[in-house]
Amino acid sequence: MSRAGDDNAAGEGGLAALLREISACRICRDMPDGGPDKALPHKPRPVCVATSDARILIAGQAPGTRVHASGKPFTDPSGDRLRDWLGVDESQFYDAANFAIVPMGFCFPGLDAKGGDLPPRRECAPAWRGRVMASMPQLRLILVIGQYAHAWHLGPLRKRNLTETVRNWREILEASESDCAVLPLPHPSWRNSGWIRKNPWFETDLLPELKRRVHDLLGT
């Protein structure tokens, strides 16, 4: 469901070839950044929905345990909250003609000592993200979720921390509007419920604009 971004890949054939390459990727296990002791401790299972049709890209962090098990992005409570933010149901969300879903790391990175997800693997974005992004010139809205996606997609528009970056969403939209609009979001994890309560402008100001843009692009 994507087109490769290099000169040797074009159209649906290139799309399928790029996804086959991603599906077979094992660099986080076989050639880990930092040496063999930093290797992914379980079998890689890349999760990426790159598409030549969708006009909206969800640029997330990395799969969690449930997504690692299902092989399908956002099959967890974070996905339920994200779909609520977007104002779409599951059938709309998982229609590749509507949404491309390309996390910063394609594989579940494992858990830290406290049981939380580790950061996206550092090998993934340098190896794949440029090609995947180049494969989707039809995109008109990129939703960047969490600090790692902010760092890659926003460049100098990123502020000192996630709160300041998301609070600056109007300036980021305006700066990116002429090409492909970019909208920063926090992660929809339920662990961020406290952040949402402390920042009521997110639900009163940003989410209505997010829903409006999504529904305009989906034609709903």
Side-chain angles (χ1 to χ4, degrees), residues 14-197:
L15 169 70
L18 179 58
L19 283 186
R20 284 195 298 270
E21 286 187 63
I22 291 171
S23 181
C25 181
R26 299 293 182 268
I27 58 172
C28 56
R29 185 192 65 188
D30 300 342
M31 294 180 289
D33 189 358
D37 61 332
K38 301 295 184 181
L40 189 74
H42 52 263
K43 183 179 179 180
R45 189 179 192 182
V47 176
C48 172
V49 180
T51 167
S52 58
D53 299 316
R55 302 174 74 191
I56 304 170
L57 169 67
I58 297 171
Q61 301 279 80
T65 53
R66 295 191 187 188
V67 175
H68 179 65
S70 70
K72 188 175 179 180
F74 287 104
T75 51
D76 53 22
S78 294
D80 294 337
R81 173 174 263 177
L82 178 59
R83 286 182 281 276
D84 181 63
W85 287 356
L86 300 173
V88 300
D89 59 26
E90 286 196 11
S91 63
Q92 292 170 305
F93 185 80
Y94 289 114
D95 185 343
N98 291 335
F99 295 96
I101 306 173
V102 182
M104 295 305 300
F106 294 154
C107 292
F108 169 53
L111 300 175
D112 62 23
K114 296 181 179 179
D117 291 351
L118 289 168
R121 295 290 304 196
R122 292 185 294 178
E123 304 90 352
C124 197
W128 295 111
R129 200 158 195 86
R131 290 181 65 191
V132 174
M133 294 303 300
S135 77
M136 296 184 287
Q138 83 286 349
L139 292 174
R140 292 297 174 265
L141 177 62
I142 299 175
L143 307 177
V144 285
I145 296 175
Q147 60 177 324
Y148 298 98
H150 292 179
W152 201 92
H153 283 274
L154 298 181
L157 293 173
R158 185 189 184 205
K159 301 300 182 182
R160 292 185 306 169
N161 54 49
L162 182 141
T163 300
E164 289 187 17
T165 298
V166 179
R167 193 189 299 274
N168 199 46
W169 63 271
R170 291 185 179 86
E171 179 183 333
I172 292 170
L173 272 176
E174 183 178 351
S176 61
E177 196 80 67
S178 61
D179 181 18
C180 176
V182 178
L183 184 62
L185 300 171
H187 196 281
S189 168
W190 290 93
R191 295 185 181 191
N192 283 336
S193 295
W195 183 93
I196 293 172
R197 287 193 297 271

